[in-house]
Amino acid sequence: MSQDDVSKKLTKLVDAEAQTEDPPLPEGRGKSTRAVHGGSQRRKAFNSLNTPIVQTATYTFGDTQELIDFMERKTWGDGDDREEYGRYGNPTVRAVERKLAALDNGEDSVLYASGMAAITSLLLSVLSAGAHIIMTDDCYRRTRQFSLTFLKRFGIETTVVRMGDYDALEAAIIPRKTRFIISESPTNPYLRIADLQRIAEIGQRHRVLTVIDSTFATPINQRPLDIGIDFVIHSATKYLSGHNDLLAGVIVGRADRIRGLRDARGVLGGIVDPQNAYLLERGIKTLGVRVQQQNHTAFAVAQFLEAHPRIERVWYPGLASHPDYDIAVRQMSGFGGVVSFEVAGDLKTTAKFIDHLRIPYIAPSLGGVESLIEQPALMSYYEKTTEERLALGIKDNLVRFAVGIEDTDDILNDLDQALSAL
Ligand SMILES: *Cc1c(COP(=O)(O)O)cnc(C)c1O
């Protein structure tokens, strides 16, 4: 056999195997099982257990007839059986999209190169000049910035309403103009919890699409689509990938809407690359055990800090002292891995406490295996004065602690010794 024959045979084999459809996982399988197996085909190319990294920028056609057949199928809204060009799709990326859809109980999902690429692509894909969107005030800073500055330039107006004020949210809707209600839960840094059911009901009553950034919760702790939300967004950079080694973002929702977003991604260009998609899938497989450990440690940290005389206040939705505790208990199956708190003292005392810690790294971000800590006054809000920060609700003594998967006792002991040093 010539080299060409061998490769032809191999291609046929690969195609045949990749097309073997498996019965989907039965409904009701647990979340960890879905994280490992959800959305994936049991038989993959080359009998590989793992999803192969299809590292290619483009895809070939054997001859002109094959090309014409594909173009015909595509014209009729089909053609999902193969890829055409790297910006439009990739089998490795597609495998992760199916897994993320399974995890969030959505029909389909679409992956992007970052969380912000997901958010901006959604808004750019759907909105036109003259449209209006509503956003809660605790939304991710860059999401707010994109809407209030970039979208404004295209004639799209944003109304920001206070988190928790559902009457104001409903009153802000402008008939036939408002297209999206965008919120986040839990939020950063105060872990405020949006009442997803109320938001979904308001959206449905007025035919406005609802979007929840569920990054802090992960599909392990909360599934907004089950409650009636239209789109779920995650920065997959955080818990989903889980290892602080890549950026990615995802939107999950109804199949027809996701198809539209995927087509738009082919124009806007924000697709994630196959290497990162592979690493993301690898990370997602351990999502269940990681998040359970992080839920456990964060709860223990919150309780420890709340009882500590050198801590003024703790923000954690699993504590009865949190303003949204009741909603959190109703809506979430775990309270997440981030704890925010105020140290008894000023900017310097708080910095000193952080510098005494031995386990967490000082860094933005969250959700990875390593604990990360930050003082928002010196990180995201450095350029502002104490007064300006206070006006934005950011105190100088505020600390955001995103726990990793280190042993709970080691983290508690580390906090204890750093507080003793004050
Ligand atoms: C990090 C983050 C984003 C942005 O995601 P990137 O992957 O950094 O682009 C959006 N929303 C929330 C809640 C985040 O934590």
Side-chain angles (χ1 to χ4, degrees):
M1 257 194 309
S2 75
Q3 192 68 29
D4 230 33
D5 289 339
V6 172
S7 81
K8 246 188 206 153
K9 247 188 142 166
L10 203 60
T11 311
K12 263 193 190 149
L13 205 85
V14 170
D15 284 349
E17 288 196 350
Q19 281 164 18
T20 316
E21 275 296 328
D22 284 311
L25 270 187
E27 275 294 309
R29 283 285 175 93
K31 293 169 187 172
S32 281
T33 310
R34 287 187 195 206
V36 179
H37 298 289
S40 35
Q41 290 169 319
R42 256 187 119 71
R43 296 304 302 280
K44 302 176 187 77
F46 304 110
N47 299 314
S48 170
L49 171 67
N50 288 312
T51 305
I53 305 172
V54 182
Q55 188 72 36
T56 188
T58 191
Y59 306 85
T60 62
F61 295 89
D63 52 29
T64 303
Q65 192 55 50
E66 201 176 307
L67 170 67
I68 289 170
D69 289 347
F70 172 70
M71 288 301 170
E72 283 295 314
R73 289 200 300 284
K74 219 175 75 166
T75 309
W76 296 106
D78 210 347
D80 287 342
D81 53 321
R82 61 157 292 155
E83 301 294 353
E84 181 184 357
Y85 180 66
R87 192 172 358 90
Y88 307 144
N90 175 285
T92 313
V93 172
R94 200 72 194 95
V96 188
E97 289 173 340
R98 280 195 294 263
K99 185 182 284 296
L100 285 167
L103 264 175
D104 249 317
N105 243 357
E107 286 177 1
D108 201 358
S109 88
V110 54
L111 261 179
Y112 296 88
S114 71
M116 279 316 297
I119 292 163
T120 57
S121 296
L122 171 66
L123 298 176
L124 288 172
S125 306
V126 175
L127 299 175
S128 315
H132 171 250
I133 61 176
I134 302 169
M135 191 170 285
T136 51
D137 60 358
D138 244 8
C139 266
Y140 189 69
R141 267 177 89 217
R142 302 299 178 202
T143 306
R144 264 181 298 157
Q145 184 184 2
F146 178 72
S147 306
L148 293 169
T149 63
F150 290 67
L151 288 181
K152 194 175 168 61
R153 294 208 305 262
F154 299 116
I156 295 160
E157 291 297 327
T158 303
T159 304
V160 180
V161 299
R162 211 166 50 77
M163 181 75 158
D165 190 344
Y166 299 96
D167 292 334
L169 184 71
E170 189 156 12
I173 293 174
I174 307 169
R176 284 180 299 279
K177 277 189 88 166
T178 307
R179 299 296 310 277
F180 281 126
I181 295 171
I182 302 168
S183 191
E184 203 166 299
S185 192
T187 64
N188 175 38
Y190 292 111
L191 294 319
R192 296 298 307 269
I193 307 296
D195 189 331
L196 300 185
Q197 191 164 352
R198 287 188 74 171
I199 292 179
E201 282 165 9
I202 291 170
Q204 282 157 10
R205 198 154 46 237
H206 298 272
R207 297 172 166 273
V208 176
L209 293 169
T210 47
V211 182
I212 293 295
D213 183 333
S214 196
T215 300
F216 274 53
T218 80
I220 304 296
N221 288 337
Q222 147 183 306
R223 287 206 292 221
L225 298 178
D226 289 354
I227 304 175
I229 296 294
D230 294 305
F231 292 102
V232 167
I233 295 185
H234 296 279
S235 165
T237 311
K238 316 294 168 55
Y239 291 97
L240 293 176
S241 65
H243 293 74
N244 291 319
D245 56 1
L246 65 89
L247 281 99
V250 67
I251 305 175
V252 197
R254 225 171 64 186
D256 55 339
R257 292 176 180 149
I258 296 298
R259 179 182 273 268
L261 292 177
R262 187 173 290 116
D263 288 346
R265 185 186 62 183
V267 179
L268 295 171
I271 192 170
V272 68
D273 83 76
Q275 293 270 355
N276 275 354
Y278 174 80
L279 283 174
L280 174 56
E281 192 192 22
R282 190 185 208 269
I284 295 168
K285 289 182 186 180
T286 57
L287 182 69
V289 283
R290 282 189 287 107
V291 170
Q292 277 157 32
Q293 171 73 6
Q294 284 162 314
N295 284 342
H296 172 77
T297 300
F299 205 153
V301 164
Q303 285 175 317
F304 168 79
L305 292 174
E306 191 162 55
H308 201 287
R310 290 199 165 108
I311 297 297
E312 252 166 27
R313 170 147 202 197
V314 180
W315 300 83
Y316 188 69
L319 294 179
S321 59
H322 192 278
D324 303 319
Y325 173 73
D326 291 339
I327 312 170
V329 169
R330 206 176 342 114
Q331 186 168 284
M332 304 181 77
S333 48
F335 302 110
V338 178
V339 186
S340 294
F341 51 94
E342 293 158 22
V343 175
D346 58 6
L347 188 87
K348 276 208 173 111
T349 315
T350 307
K352 189 175 164 198
F353 156 72
I354 288 180
D355 286 338
H356 269 94
L357 289 166
R358 289 291 160 257
I359 291 179
Y361 290 96
I362 299 172
S365 203
L366 56 129
V369 293
E370 297 92 357
S371 288
L372 301 182
I373 200 157
E374 67 161 285
Q375 190 172 354
L378 296 181
M379 186 76 78
S380 313
Y381 300 87
Y382 183 78
E383 71 287 357
K384 304 213 182 312
T385 64
T386 296
E387 288 68 35
E388 286 170 336
R389 283 195 288 263
L390 269 179
L392 295 167
I394 302 295
K395 289 192 187 176
D396 283 350
N397 61 345
L398 181 70
V399 176
R400 186 186 82 183
F401 187 21
V403 305
I405 61 162
E406 301 93 344
D407 288 294
T408 309
D409 282 346
D410 289 339
I411 289 176
L412 292 175
N413 289 335
D414 194 26
L415 290 166
D416 197 29
Q417 64 78 22
L419 286 168
S420 302
L422 296 185

